[in-house]
Amino acid sequence: MNEFVSIHTSDAHPGVATLLLSRPPTNALTRQTYRELAGAARELAGRTDIRAVILFGGHEIFSAGDDIPELRTLDDAETAAAVALCQQTLDAIANIPKPTVAAITGYALGGGLTLALTADWRVSGDNVKFGVTEILAGRAPAGGTARLARTIGLSRAKELVFSGRFLDAEEASTLGLVDEMVAPDSVYDAALAWANRFVEHPAEVLAAAKATFDN
């Protein structure tokens, strides 16, 4: 039984699943959280009843990033294992063979932004703060900078990683970190509307279409 990650479906919206991260108050990402996310991603990959997936942290906050206090307790071997786990989890979510959308509220910082970048589409509230903030805690990102560079370009990605500065939703949208910006209370509904566009397509065709982007 997972403690922080769950999968939700609704009879009102068949074919759409919500992958919910819930670790109040900030949805900080621990090793356990990454393991639970990876397991949920594998489950969703194998479900033939699901056509699209919403990645959601709740209506208050998407994720403030990796749990820095936990990371500071790890020795070198444990740190290396944690980095590998992070990268494996991000790949597992990115490789879910269905259209995925991140519904971003509150903050998407550090590992939280990296998690959002695994999705095929990103919907954000117009009040969300973004940032690649690991350097502010004296750490380098555990992974995901390649996805960041593919999304906004190498030079811009390096500037964000080196500075750790915060971006508002408007700048994030201009850079391409966000594909759709809506009122804060409309984030999940906008993500659901995006996901619902694909529920009539056969699951195997959606999987094949997504796989073409790997070639």
Side-chain angles (χ1 to χ4, degrees), residues 146-163:
R147 287 191 180 91
L148 178 67
R150 286 196 298 270
T151 302
I152 67 173
L154 183 59
S155 297
R156 290 187 178 92
K158 287 182 176 181
E159 188 272 327
L160 294 183
V161 170
F162 297 161
S163 69

Side-chain angles (χ1 to χ4, degrees), residues 110-195:
L113 176 55
T114 302
L115 180 63
L117 287 170
T118 64
D120 301 312
W121 190 262
R122 287 169 293 282
V123 177
S124 161
D126 60 18
N127 63 340
V128 173
K129 299 297 183 183
F130 299 84
V132 189
T133 53
E134 287 91 344
I135 202 165
L136 302 180
R139 309 186 71 88
T145 52
R147 287 191 180 91
L148 178 67
R150 286 196 298 270
T151 302
I152 67 173
L154 183 59
S155 297
R156 290 187 178 92
K158 287 182 176 181
E159 188 272 327
L160 294 183
V161 170
F162 297 161
S163 69
R165 69 182 180 86
F166 283 60
L167 297 75
D168 62 20
E170 184 175 353
E171 183 179 3
S173 179
T174 299
L175 289 176
L177 288 173
V178 172
D179 299 295
E180 183 179 358
M181 189 168 58
V182 298
D185 291 340
S186 301
V187 171
Y188 184 83
D189 289 342
L192 181 61
W194 186 89

